[in-house]
Amino acid sequence: MPPKAGPPESGPEARHHSAGRRVLSLLKPRSVAGQVFLLQLVVVLVLIATAVVALVIQDRNRAIQEAGDRSLVAAEAFANASGTAEAMTSDDPTAALQPRAEAVRKETGVDYVVALSPYGFRWTHPDPDQIGKHVSTSYGEALEGEPHQTTFDSSLGKAVDSTVAVFDENGTAVGLVTVGVTVDKVTSVVQEQLPVVFAAGGVALLLAAGGSALVSGRLRRQTRGLDPVEMTRMYEHHDAVLHAVREGVIILDGDGRLLLVNDEARRLLALPPKAEGRPVTDLGLSPALAGLLGSGRAATDKVFLAGDILLAVNVRPVGPKGGSVATLRDTTELRALAGRADVAGGRLQLLYEASTRIGTTLDMKRTAEELTEVAVPRFADFATVELVEPVLLGDEPTGPRLDMRRIAAAGIREDAPLYPVGTHMRYAPDNPVAIGMTTGRPVLVAHLDTADRWRAQNPERAQKVITYGIHSMISVPLQARGQLLGVVEFWRSEQDPFESDDLSPAEELAARTAVCIDNARRYTREHTTAVTLQRSLLPGALPEVSALEVGHRYLPAQAGVGGDWYDVIPLPGARVALVVGDVVGHGLHAAATMGRLRTAVHNFAALDLPPDELVAHLDELITQIDQDAAAQGKTDTVTGATCLYAVYDPVSGRCVLARAGHPGPALVSPDGSVTFPDIPVAPPLGAGGGLPVETADLRLAANSRLVLYTDGLVETRDRDIDIGLGMLREALAHTDGASPDDTCRAVLDAMLRTRSNDDVALLVARTRLLDPEQVAEWEVPDDPAAVPRVRAEATRRLAAWGLGEAAFTTELILSELVTNAIRYGKSPIRLRLLHDRDSLICEVADGSSTSPHLRRATFTDEGGRGLFLVAQLSRRWGTRYTDRGKIIWAEQVLGAGAAGDLSGLLMAEL
């Protein structure tokens, strides 16, 4: 079935004719003024096109001429430049000319600068691949001295090429220079004159438009250039836009009368139905808003209250007669959103400050104080923090506890009736704070005056708090690793009561603080453990010795316990050993290492080793400790430990010192002068590598003060050791006549005005000398018959000392020791008796290094009981070696502790 034919107007041909009619309607103006103006426009455009064509032709000719001039100038300048001829006659013209040719090309803006040999081979070219190739063009005219120019069509358009010859001093052509410039690179004259042509055309168009306006002025005043249909359509469009916008629009005349108002402006201002034509002051607006609209002054985002609505008003003057247009925008919701955004931003800023200000130290009390400082006054008017008792001691919290101690409080005022810091707090089980601690969740009490459970804790104080003005509270438990550490309370008096939205920032503050407090608690526990260990390893009370008067001080480092130590060790023969050491580092490892070293020093001192041998043994010990740690896969080493060991003999005043990496001592003479004796220094312990340790031998007068110290006293991060030694010298110079204890106090006051970052150990020893009358010495012949004589002389000396009651015991001891020296030792043999306070020391020296050993004799042995007898009669006995043999000594106790009836011992089974 054939398709049904439609009307003639609906076919493709009809649509083609319709489009043609629309184009003709656009080209054919409907008004007389438009037709006249179109004719004048065509005439002006023809004139402008003719002028442009003429200028383009003229410009093209001039451009070719200018391009030829530019290329010729560039070619002659390059050819006549200094060094061009020499470069062309050189061994490698390309190396000398290529950089200069490229520089000239870039500076002058030409397309290429090519240097040629007289035979046409290129020396330079912008394309390096073209260098060395032959140019077939003939340059005979140029070689004769006349510049040669050619115009040709290149791939970039029409171009001009100029070629000149380069002559040497003899007038012989040594090469050619050819420069090419495209015509398009030359500034066009048309570009300079086109603005004039277009300006003239514009003036012509303006004159044409003015003529059209004069011709059709009356017609345009009547119709304004529009037919009735177009005017109706435009009015409907503008009216729809005006009433559809979400902003209020008001148009006023110069007298402040309302000419036009849209629907949004009517709603925002609640205008009466027939407001147009009335003065703005008669519309029931606020005086301020009416005054601004009637004045016609420009305004930007001025805020006014119209009923319950906040209006942002903008006014702009328009028209020559003084009218104005005002726009109105409802900002009520925007202000509410901005307020909530400010609150959220403030909370974020609060949490950011908490992350940077809370937990700056490993001190629980300071951490709690930082929390209160951050919270007040930005989040709360008052803040308090309590911790459970075990946490304050550094122990692990053990389950929920309702008894705590308040350690921090802050507020906008200091007279709040809250419990002060230090108060022991115990909350009732139904108290909101206790409920939060039990459940682990924050508790909000928005109105304290109606919180009966909170008031029941202490009704009297609760009433004082409410009367003071505190009306709202949030309690948040401090929890870390699932354990309750304490609780923080936030209070408000002048701010609005807390809301549920405030629980989240309160929890964030508490969580941050709880982690920091838990870290501080664990640090406190470890620090307490380390301090306890270190205190247990350091000497509790130094022994009293007759050879020295000792003062001492120990200051732990600010960062924690370290490895500094000191000691005073009595030695046989009334001698005394002084030792000061330092283990680099802090913490349990340093304290434990210090204890091991101190024990080793005591053990080695018990063997009566000389200072150099003792320090060498310590070095071997540290090396072995490091090797054992490495074998076990441990990274902690003791390398860096230092030590100074000194032995003082009050009989001779001799002091022998040895040190390994440790600062040397200071010596204060009896006259008050301060010196630093030169003591040979060995590497630190563990780094000696088996090198020998040297000693220094000092002779100290009575009342001299020997000052031993660790490097923490004289060296700090901001003070060099030389400056520290100078300060120590000055401090000691002002202690003339002071006791050792007073000397320690004066030195620390002068050297450490603030707490040191390193441990400080200080030991001051004032020397004494034994009275020569308290020492008796005899040369013993190598003959057993000499024993009775020596025994008799010793008995007389004891009687002179008033020690007759000890004569019998002393005779037994020295008889045994002298007899053994004569029988088993070597000459020379010497006997020395020392009367020292409450002890009597008997020393027998001989030239043999063989050491006697104590043993239990059997019933059938005729000998072997002598040393056993000596050991039973004396407080202690032993052997020490010298450079020329050994000394066997025995020390007796005088007075109440002396040996009494010896009959039982003599009759005992040996």
Side-chain angles (χ1 to χ4, degrees):
M1 184 176 181
K4 186 177 179 180
E9 298 87 354
S10 61
E13 185 176 357
R15 288 195 296 270
H16 177 72
H17 289 298
S18 177
R21 284 195 298 268
R22 286 196 298 270
V23 175
L24 291 175
S25 65
L26 294 174
L27 297 177
K28 184 179 180 180
R30 299 179 182 181
S31 64
V32 176
Q35 295 176 0
V36 173
F37 180 74
L38 181 60
L39 178 61
Q40 293 175 343
L41 177 62
V42 171
V43 173
V44 172
L45 291 177
V46 171
L47 293 175
I48 292 175
T50 303
V52 169
V53 170
L55 286 175
V56 168
I57 296 173
Q58 182 182 4
D59 178 69
R60 175 60 63 178
N61 296 331
R62 295 186 60 182
I64 294 174
Q65 180 63 36
E66 186 173 350
D69 294 342
R70 179 178 294 184
S71 65
L72 180 60
V73 170
E76 290 182 344
F78 187 87
N80 297 322
S82 176
T84 301
E86 289 79 4
M88 289 183 174
T89 59
S90 64
D91 295 334
D92 190 358
T94 298
L97 295 174
Q98 177 70 5
R100 297 172 57 185
E102 286 301 298
V104 171
R105 180 179 66 84
K106 294 177 181 179
E107 292 177 0
T108 59
V110 299
D111 291 276
Y112 58 84
V113 176
V114 178
L116 305 172
S117 69
Y119 306 100
F121 291 94
R122 294 190 182 98
W123 282 330
T124 67
H125 197 277
D127 182 5
D129 294 336
Q130 299 297 323
I131 296 176
K133 295 184 178 181
H134 186 266
V135 179
S136 59
T137 306
S138 175
Y139 296 106
E141 183 181 352
L143 291 173
E144 294 177 359
E146 291 293 331
H148 177 73
Q149 282 190 334
T150 58
T151 302
F152 58 94
D153 293 327
S154 67
S155 60
L156 300 178
K158 188 174 291 295
V160 179
D161 180 282
S162 298
T163 303
V164 297
V166 179
F167 299 94
D168 58 8
E169 296 177 355
N170 299 325
T172 302
V174 295
L176 299 168
V177 176
T178 176
V179 178
V181 180
T182 57
V183 176
D184 291 340
K185 285 196 174 182
V186 181
T187 304
S188 177
V189 178
V190 174
Q191 296 178 0
E192 300 175 357
Q193 297 184 2
L194 280 180
V196 178
V197 174
F198 290 137
V203 172
L205 287 177
L206 291 177
L207 292 176
S212 298
L214 293 176
V215 172
S216 59
R218 183 175 180 82
L219 181 60
R220 285 191 302 166
R221 282 194 298 269
Q222 295 291 333
T223 64
R224 300 194 179 181
L226 298 174
D227 58 17
V229 177
E230 292 175 340
M231 292 181 65
T232 301
R233 186 182 301 113
M234 183 181 67
Y235 173 78
E236 292 175 350
H237 173 73
H238 289 177
D239 186 67
V241 173
L242 181 65
H243 293 285
V245 295
R246 292 291 305 275
E247 289 190 355
V249 179
I250 297 177
I251 300 178
L252 304 101
D253 62 11
D255 297 329
R257 292 182 179 274
L258 190 63
L259 298 180
L260 181 64
V261 59
N262 69 346
D263 295 340
E264 184 67 9
R266 291 181 186 277
R267 183 186 71 82
L268 295 176
L269 298 177
L271 296 176
K274 296 182 180 180
E276 288 85 347
R278 297 172 57 182
V280 72
T281 55
D282 297 340
L283 300 179
L285 306 179
S286 64
L289 177 57
L292 175 62
L293 296 176
S295 66
R297 300 190 307 271
T300 301
D301 287 338
K302 295 292 185 180
V303 179
F304 296 91
L305 182 63
D308 296 333
I309 300 175
L310 284 175
L311 294 178
V313 181
N314 291 274
V315 181
R316 293 293 182 270
V318 296
K321 296 183 179 181
S324 60
V325 176
T327 60
L328 313 173
R329 186 173 66 256
D330 185 357
T331 63
T332 305
E333 295 182 359
L334 183 61
R335 286 298 178 93
L337 291 174
R340 289 195 290 271
D342 290 342
V343 172
R347 289 175 178 173
L348 289 176
Q349 182 65 25
L350 175 69
L351 297 179
Y352 172 75
E353 290 189 10
S355 66
T356 57
R357 294 177 55 186
I358 297 177
T360 59
T361 65
L362 288 173
D363 182 85
M364 289 183 286
K365 179 176 175 58
R366 180 55 192 155
T367 300
E369 292 173 348
E370 289 170 345
L371 168 61
T372 61
E373 293 170 359
V374 169
V376 178
R378 299 191 57 177
F379 182 70
D381 296 322
F382 300 92
T384 55
V385 180
E386 295 95 45
L387 296 181
V388 298
E389 293 288 348
V391 173
L392 291 174
L393 300 177
D395 298 332
E396 287 281 350
T398 56
R401 300 173 62 98
L402 300 182
D403 53 334
M404 296 177 291
R405 187 172 301 278
R406 180 160 290 177
I407 65 168
I412 56 177
R413 295 189 300 273
E414 297 182 356
D415 57 345
L418 299 173
Y419 288 105
V421 174
T423 304
H424 182 269
M425 310 287 292
R426 183 173 182 83
Y427 293 99
D430 58 348
N431 189 287
V433 178
I435 294 174
M437 295 166 57
T438 304
T439 61
R441 303 295 300 169
V443 176
L444 167 63
V445 183
H447 303 285
L448 293 175
D449 54 352
T450 60
D452 296 334
R453 294 183 177 180
W454 175 78
R455 295 166 61 93
Q457 175 79 27
N458 190 331
E460 182 179 355
R461 183 169 291 272
Q463 186 59 43
K464 290 181 180 180
V465 171
I466 295 173
T467 304
Y468 184 79
I470 299 177
H471 54 73
S472 183
M473 183 266 286
I474 289 181
S475 174
V476 188
L478 297 172
Q479 299 180 101
R481 299 180 293 110
Q483 297 291 333
L484 178 67
L485 306 179
V487 65
V488 54
E489 296 103 353
F490 302 103
W491 314 79
R492 282 185 178 178
S493 60
E494 298 184 359
Q495 302 183 45
D496 294 335
F498 285 112
E499 300 176 351
S500 58
D501 291 342
D502 295 316
L503 291 175
S504 177
E507 281 188 289
E508 292 286 347
L509 289 175
R512 168 71 183 176
T513 305
V515 172
C516 297
I517 288 178
D518 188 54
N519 291 337
R521 178 196 63 79
R522 288 187 287 179
Y523 170 77
T524 300
R525 180 184 60 189
E526 294 179 1
H527 181 72
T528 302
T529 303
V531 169
T532 303
L533 173 62
Q534 185 188 41
R535 294 297 184 186
S536 65
L537 296 176
L538 287 173
L542 296 181
E544 293 186 7
V545 293
S546 59
L548 298 170
E549 179 186 358
V550 180
H552 58 91
R553 289 291 189 278
Y554 173 78
L555 296 180
Q558 185 174 4
V561 298
D564 292 16
W565 93 94
Y566 57 90
D567 218 333
V568 176
I569 305 173
L571 297 177
R575 296 171 303 129
V576 179
L578 302 175
V579 57
V580 174
D582 183 6
V583 176
V584 176
H586 297 89
L588 289 174
H589 178 69
T593 303
M594 176 268 289
R596 299 173 73 175
L597 284 175
R598 181 168 177 261
T599 302
V601 170
H602 272 268
N603 292 334
F604 292 142
L607 299 176
D608 212 346
L609 297 178
D612 53 345
E613 294 185 20
L614 186 142
V615 172
H617 283 300
L618 288 180
D619 180 72
E620 295 175 359
L621 173 64
I622 295 299
T623 302
Q624 186 62 44
I625 292 175
D626 287 344
Q627 291 175 354
D628 294 342
Q632 298 174 9
K634 299 180 181 179
T635 58
D636 292 336
T637 62
V638 195
T639 302
T642 64
C643 179
L644 187 149
Y645 186 81
V647 176
Y648 175 68
D649 186 354
V651 176
S652 61
R654 181 188 179 204
C655 184
V656 182
L657 303 95
R659 59 174 176 147
H662 201 84
L667 179 62
V668 184
S669 301
D671 59 1
S673 61
V674 181
T675 58
F676 292 94
D678 185 13
I679 310 298
V681 60
L685 300 178
L691 296 176
V693 179
E694 299 182 28
T695 60
D697 197 334
L698 304 179
R699 295 288 178 173
L700 305 182
N703 292 324
S704 298
R705 281 173 290 168
L706 191 64
V707 182
L708 311 182
Y709 52 88
T710 56
D711 58 356
L713 179 69
V714 295
E715 186 177 13
T716 62
R717 294 178 180 176
D718 54 354
R719 185 177 68 197
D720 189 70
I721 188 172
D722 293 335
I723 299 177
L725 292 176
M727 295 175 61
L728 178 60
R729 182 194 301 273
E730 184 177 355
L732 292 173
H734 291 81
T735 60
D736 188 18
S739 67
D741 195 68
D742 292 338
T743 302
C744 291
R745 185 181 303 108
V747 168
L748 292 182
D749 291 343
M751 300 291 292
L752 302 177
R753 302 187 183 277
T754 59
R755 192 172 178 182
S756 175
N757 292 322
D758 193 7
D759 296 355
V760 175
L762 178 63
L763 190 65
V764 178
R766 172 182 283 169
T767 60
R768 296 170 179 162
L769 292 177
L770 287 182
D771 189 342
E773 295 296 327
Q774 295 178 268
V775 181
E777 294 185 87
W778 294 274
E779 294 285 345
V780 179
D782 188 8
D783 183 2
V787 174
R789 179 181 60 79
V790 174
R791 185 169 56 239
E793 292 181 3
T795 302
R796 287 193 295 272
R797 177 54 65 96
L798 292 178
W801 287 343
L803 302 178
E805 70 278 4
F808 179 70
T809 304
T810 304
E811 287 180 5
L812 291 177
I813 292 175
L814 68 87
S815 294
E816 178 62 31
L817 296 182
V818 171
T819 301
N820 283 344
I822 294 173
R823 180 178 301 176
Y824 304 109
K826 296 179 181 180
S827 298
I829 302 174
R830 296 181 59 84
L831 169 64
R832 185 171 73 166
L833 294 179
L834 300 176
H835 179 204
D836 180 22
R837 287 189 178 181
D838 61 346
S839 64
L840 178 63
I841 303 170
C842 177
E843 296 181 346
V844 177
D846 69 86
S848 172
S849 59
T850 303
S851 176
H853 297 282
L854 181 65
R855 67 184 181 89
R856 183 178 293 274
T858 63
F859 288 109
T860 59
D861 290 339
E862 296 182 359
R865 297 179 177 85
L867 284 181
F868 182 81
L869 181 65
V870 171
Q872 296 298 318
L873 294 176
S874 59
R875 176 167 57 184
R876 55 178 181 164
W877 74 280
T879 303
R880 71 174 184 270
Y881 294 94
T882 64
D883 296 339
R884 298 181 180 179
K886 66 177 181 297
I887 297 176
I888 302 177
W889 56 271
E891 181 179 340
Q892 300 172 244
V893 179
L894 301 177
D901 186 9
L902 301 178
S903 59
L905 177 62
L906 295 175
M907 299 301 296
E909 181 183 5
L910 299 177

